[in-house]
Amino acid sequence: MPLVAAQDYSQVAVALIAMSIAAGSIILSHVNDGGFWIIAKFFNMTVKQTLQTWTVLETVLSVVSFAVAGVLFAIIA
């Protein structure tokens, strides 16, 4: 936070920084994630199957979200 506060970022830029941090926090999810168990039970998948699909899904979501935040930050800031 001190690095962000030291800059003169707009509220949108700060929101995009927060979005990029959030995107990094969801990469490579594992079995202690509530969403993991919801997907596993809803689709009647084994733990191995859920790990294979959920991890790929979360990784793609994380990378795409980070890229979108980076592009928007480059345009706005």
Side-chain angles (χ1 to χ4, degrees):
M1 182 184 146
L3 293 174
V4 175
Q7 303 298 319
D8 189 26
Y9 290 130
S10 67
Q11 288 183 349
V12 174
V14 173
L16 290 170
I17 292 169
M19 181 179 160
S20 66
I21 293 169
S25 73
I26 62 171
I27 198 166
L28 297 174
S29 181
H30 47 80
V31 296
N32 70 349
D33 183 359
F36 175 92
W37 292 109
I38 292 170
I39 296 300
K41 299 301 178 186
F42 186 76
F43 290 107
N44 293 321
M45 296 165 57
T46 65
V47 172
K48 182 179 178 181
Q49 290 171 326
T50 311
L51 272 173
Q52 289 172 338
T53 56
W54 186 250
T55 301
V56 170
L57 170 75
E58 291 289 299
T59 302
V60 169
L61 180 64
S62 177
V63 170
V64 170
S65 298
F66 184 77
V68 168
V71 168
L72 289 175
F73 188 85
I75 292 171
I76 293 172

